[in-house]
Structure formats: C-alpha cells, structure tokens
Amino acid sequence: MNIGDKATEILGKDEQGRDIRLSDYKGKKLMLYFYPKDNTSGCTAEAFYYQ
C-alpha cells in the first residue's frame, strides 16, 4: 500500500471471524493504523504514542 491508495472494502476479520467492512463505518470517523510488525518494541511504542 502506498500513500494515496484507497483502502479495500474488507479491512480484516473480527474476533468471531466476520469480515470488517469499510462500508460499515460510512458517515463515521475511522482511523486505520499501520505498523511494521506485531509484538515488537516499535509497534508498542507507536501505538502508545497515538492513543
């Protein structure tokens, strides 16, 4: 993904395995957060900074 690219309709899965769709949030504020890798000091520090 590059800066300026549009997000796909299906963003991922929830805890029950259901699709999370971009259209479910139409008219609401939504922030997509990207980070390099799970369970690293970098992702933890970045997530804390943006809360």
Side-chain angles (χ1 to χ4, degrees):
M1 183 170 243
N2 296 303
I3 294 173
D5 287 353
K6 291 186 177 187
T8 60
E9 171 59 13
I10 297 177
L11 302 173
K13 302 270 184 189
D14 68 11
E15 295 84 6
Q16 287 79 39
R18 297 177 297 217
D19 289 341
I20 300 170
R21 298 179 177 275
L22 189 59
S23 58
D24 294 339
Y25 297 92
K26 189 172 184 172
K28 299 177 182 177
K29 293 181 179 182
L30 176 68
M31 183 177 93
L32 299 178
Y33 175 72
F34 299 91
Y35 56 93
K37 187 176 179 184
D38 283 344
N39 300 318
T40 64
S41 60
C43 82
T44 303
E46 290 176 24
F48 181 76
Y49 178 77
Y50 291 108
Q51 286 183 358

